[in-house]
Amino acid sequence: MPERDPVTTTTLIGKVDAVHGPVVDICTQYLPPLNQALIVHDHEPVLLEVFQHLNPTRIRAIALHSTAGLSRGMPVFDSGAPLHVPVAPDCLGRMLNVFGEPLDKMPAFESTDYRNILAQPPALTETVPAKEILATGIKVIDLLCPFVKGGKTGLFGGAGVGKTVLMMEFMHAVSSLHQGVSVFAGVGERMREGHELWHEMKDSGVLPRSVLVYGQMDESPGVRFHVGFTALTYAEYLRDSLQSEVLFLMDNMFRFVQAGSEISGLLGRMPATVGYQPTLVTEVASLEERILSTRHGAITSVQAVYVPADDMSDPAVSAIMNHLDTKVILSRQQAAKGIYPSVDPLKSSSRLLDRHLLGARHYSVAMAVREHLARYRELEDIITILGIEELSTEDRQIVQRARKLERYLTQPFAVVADHTGIPGTSVELEDLLNDCEGFLDGRFDQLDEADCYMKGSLTKGTLSQ
């Protein structure tokens, strides 16, 4: 574990009065501001954050380290500042914790510049709108729910439908196709996942242009709640200092909500809808509203969002969804049919799916593909009960083309090539549109469905990564 080196201070603020798990009540001489960082000097310094003013001489704080060893009467010191992290160009290529301390067993990077992790978003006059597509080389996304450069994208799905794999593939694709930097926030991650991602990025050569920030599952809810803010602080610093494209990835946004719910319960707040914290919408907005593009550079965000019990109407999912430009819905039914990535093409959507933004050709092809897939889904029950022979000639042709399109939109991924034995492919948008027009026009009617499954482009443009 890295050495803790919080801000040194000599300002005595009061004494510990009670410790309930990560909740610490403190008798104080004065009231420090909310979100102020406090320090208790045990055998190792323990960092606290002020969350409530209970009365003029008593405050409640959440510990960001283990509270084992804390006892009543221990002196508490004011750090003189909110939680902040060191920032410098040397942060690239590093794995850090919520305090900006190294997790990769390398020396801490030198910095004289610090940034508060709970900052205000840039002024509205400084921001610029996001209007450009970010090509990923992933067929189903580029065609039906294109990512917005400088926008926010959510990957929604239950357990085991491929959110993390799709995010890793997107990270691989963007680092290969676009020269930018990446910031990854592991919110409540299993250490195994962090270890695998670090090795994956190191082997693929993208680690020197990336920052990984982790708050692990076994850490305090205060750490899991703040790790997203720490990662976003590094993303903002890289956007403003390098003036470049920054890819901000978060896995998993739902665990951020869970950590907030845990803190809310510890503070004694009354639960709201479905047991979530009453401050749910505010907490989600405090993170999402800072993901912005300015005149200096753009932050493009991709967030994996766990959907509890596959219920898209869950209040946490709805609160997150309201902030997004692109919604990629991963379906368990698609995964059960072997369709990977298991994107539901009818439920997924993008703000950029507009004729004026995409161009007439891309828009018309995307709408035609979606119509074919929607008609196929309508006829599935009839086909199951009566058989495809009972359909009209026109409907039979639509179903056959839709089944081939569904299989064509599958794709082997580079990040799992070692497991599948199939090299990953990336498909350029021009080749993707040519192929889809071929399916819609009947040029590929003679192909078997198996010939369309897990392929790149059916024309000359397949690029092996």
Side-chain angles (χ1 to χ4, degrees), residues 435-446:
D435 286 346
C436 290
E437 284 175 341
F439 282 109
L440 297 169
D441 297 342
R443 280 188 277 128
F444 296 134
D445 283 355
Q446 77 284 359

Side-chain angles (χ1 to χ4, degrees), residues 405-419:
L405 276 166
E406 188 176 58
R407 281 149 183 76
Y408 169 73
L409 292 176
T410 62
Q411 191 166 345
F413 282 170
V415 293
V416 291
D418 292 342
H419 303 285

Side-chain angles (χ1 to χ4, degrees), residues 376 388 399-408 446-455:
Y376 170 44
I388 196 169
V399 166
Q400 288 168 347
R401 289 177 181 173
R403 286 177 63 89
K404 287 172 187 172
L405 276 166
E406 188 176 58
R407 281 149 183 76
Y408 169 73
Q446 77 284 359
L447 281 180
D448 289 333
E449 290 176 9
D451 295 330
C452 308
Y453 182 69
M454 283 295 170
K455 305 290 183 188

